[in-house]
Amino acid sequence: ARLTVFRGGFDAEAAQRVADAGAGTLDALVGYSLLRRGNDGRYDLHESLRQYAGEKVSADPEAAAALREAHARHYAGMLTGLRADLRAAGQVAALEQVQRELDNARLAWEWLVDRRDGQTLANCGESLYQFFSIRSRFFEGAGWFEAAAAALEGLEEARGWMAALLSRQGALQQRARLHDEALNALERARAILAEDDEPQEMAFCLIGLGGVYLRRKTFDPALKASRQAQELFERADSLDGVSYALYLQGLILDRMGDFEAAEPLVERAVSVARRSGNPRRKIAPLNLLGDLACIRGDYPAAEQIFAEVLETCRQLDDRFNLGIVVNNLATVYHLTGRYDLAEGTYRESLTIC
């Protein structure tokens, strides 16, 4: 009956840790056709059994709560353990693991929100933020973080954790073009972080604010925020963050029309991103570098750059940036007279979008 706590399937490790169901129990349930085992080794209950057994679990509220707690701890631990991989060479495999366990992660997150467990939410939230950001699920992710931040309102001891959640809520809202909502969340986070000594968290928040200011074409505050973020990321020895801050500065200058000043910053952003080992971090600055190559008429260089971005986007299933780079490639084909190829590529971009 304890196996009814899982959603979207589970693996043998989770069954043992959460439901105390070892290999013998699982094999027996499969043999009785009460449990399905997929080719990938994951298990799932038949729905009729889930409903029946779930009622038995619910009949003992104390036992049901303990089971939900064990489930939440297991999947929060899994997410927290993936933080480094989601920023390094193991990014693709880590993204796939989060995708497989997203239904279980959602159930765990809801439990932690109900329990107002700010520390655990903040600890595992970084992996979820990376997943929602890379997989272009901005609205969905913003909703998760908004619910979590709201649950911590009024808990003085949870202010720091709430700030981290608000920053990621705002960052996802900014990507979703919900600029008013993003600004509100990020300003609230900054006010809390101003009272703490958390340079990396403040830098992350400032990056989000810089993005909102850029969208509003308030370039001076955008540049100020991105430069402050760079200083803080450098203090925290975060190559990831430094690359992001340099890219944002280059993007702002690009939008201001100062291409000459933008390009060296973007080149530095790419270089730092490569050193960070985070495949996702190089996508945006490379894409902008390709745009700058187009502006100066170096179409072969632009095409080569966009081809690298395209490969990385497909590896990560980053649909947002994939649509952008495919459109950029189509523009290169158009500008170099390859009209049939350009038309097909523009159509591909529209399909992605």
Side-chain angles (χ1 to χ4, degrees):
R2 292 172 60 86
L3 295 172
T4 60
V5 72
F6 296 107
R7 297 292 183 273
F10 54 91
D11 59 23
E13 180 186 359
Q16 180 68 67
R17 289 179 176 273
V18 176
D20 197 24
T25 300
L26 297 175
D27 288 343
L29 290 171
V30 170
Y32 285 119
S33 298
L34 298 174
L35 193 65
R36 293 182 290 254
R37 181 168 50 207
N39 293 332
D40 58 357
R42 288 176 63 78
Y43 297 88
D44 197 13
L45 283 170
H46 289 275
E47 191 55 36
S48 57
L49 176 61
R50 180 192 304 282
Q51 293 176 6
Y52 174 73
E55 291 173 1
K56 286 186 169 293
V57 172
S58 300
D60 184 343
E62 187 174 337
L67 183 58
R68 285 291 303 276
E69 180 72 14
H71 176 274
R73 294 295 158 197
H74 175 76
Y75 286 102
M78 179 207 79
L79 290 166
T80 301
L82 290 174
R83 286 186 299 188
D85 285 344
L86 282 163
R87 291 180 174 273
Q91 198 168 61
V92 174
L95 287 167
E96 290 304 312
Q97 186 171 353
V98 178
Q99 180 67 63
R100 281 194 302 273
E101 300 294 3
L102 193 60
D103 289 338
N104 282 310
R106 181 183 296 105
L107 190 67
W109 188 264
E110 290 170 354
W111 177 260
L112 295 168
V113 168
D114 287 344
R115 306 291 286 183
R116 305 179 81 184
D117 187 343
Q119 184 174 13
T120 306
L121 287 164
N123 285 343
C124 67
E126 178 60 24
S127 292
L128 286 168
Y129 168 76
Q130 293 296 328
F131 172 79
F132 287 125
S133 177
I134 294 170
R135 289 292 169 88
S136 308
R137 299 169 70 158
F138 311 129
F139 289 95
E140 180 183 2
W144 285 42
F145 283 97
E146 185 174 11
L152 301 185
E153 288 281 2
L155 292 179
E156 185 63 29
E157 68 276 15
R159 281 171 55 81
W161 300 320
M162 185 172 76
L165 296 167
L166 283 168
S167 289
R168 282 147 187 83
Q169 172 193 332
L172 289 166
Q173 287 171 329
Q174 189 265 325
R175 296 291 303 281
R177 305 294 190 263
L178 300 173
H179 301 308
D180 290 344
E181 294 89 338
L183 184 61
N184 179 59
L186 291 162
E187 289 284 15
R188 290 179 63 204
R190 181 165 63 173
I192 296 169
L193 291 167
E195 302 175 6
D196 300 327
D197 184 23
E198 295 287 348
Q200 196 155 343
E201 278 299 329
M202 177 61 90
F204 181 92
C205 180
L206 287 167
I207 287 289
L209 283 167
V212 174
Y213 298 148
L214 172 59
R215 287 291 173 183
R216 293 185 162 188
K217 294 184 170 56
T218 52
F219 297 124
D220 287 343
L223 276 172
K224 181 179 179 181
S226 61
R227 287 166 178 161
Q228 288 176 335
Q230 181 186 345
E231 292 176 8
L232 291 170
F233 278 131
E234 286 173 345
R235 191 194 310 174
D237 293 323
S238 171
L239 292 176
D240 233 24
V242 171
S243 174
Y244 203 160
L246 288 167
Y247 157 72
L248 183 55
Q249 291 171 55
L251 181 63
I252 295 163
L253 291 168
D254 173 84
R255 297 298 185 262
M256 294 171 67
D258 192 348
F259 307 126
E260 187 175 345
E263 190 155 10
L265 286 167
V266 181
E267 288 173 341
R268 284 178 60 198
V270 171
S271 176
V272 175
R274 293 194 193 283
R275 286 193 286 124
S276 78
N278 181 347
R280 192 353 170 54
R281 186 65 267 137
K282 67 182 182 181
I283 288 176
L286 274 172
N287 207 24
L288 181 52
L289 204 58
D291 283 342
L292 291 165
C294 281
I295 288 169
R296 66 172 185 271
D298 190 350
Y299 302 124
E303 185 171 348
Q304 184 176 357
I305 292 168
F306 291 145
E308 181 181 353
V309 178
L310 183 65
E311 181 181 1
T312 304
C313 286
R314 284 180 170 155
Q315 288 173 347
L316 299 178
D317 194 22
D318 182 343
R319 306 292 291 175
F320 180 84
N321 283 303
L322 181 62
I324 293 172
V325 73
V326 170
N327 184 77
N328 288 345
L329 266 173
T331 300
V332 171
Y333 298 148
H334 179 250
L335 292 171
T336 53
R338 291 171 284 176
Y339 301 119
D340 289 344
L341 188 55
E343 181 180 0
T345 309
Y346 277 129
R347 291 185 184 278
E348 181 185 354
S349 177
L350 287 170
T351 301
I352 294 167
C353 295

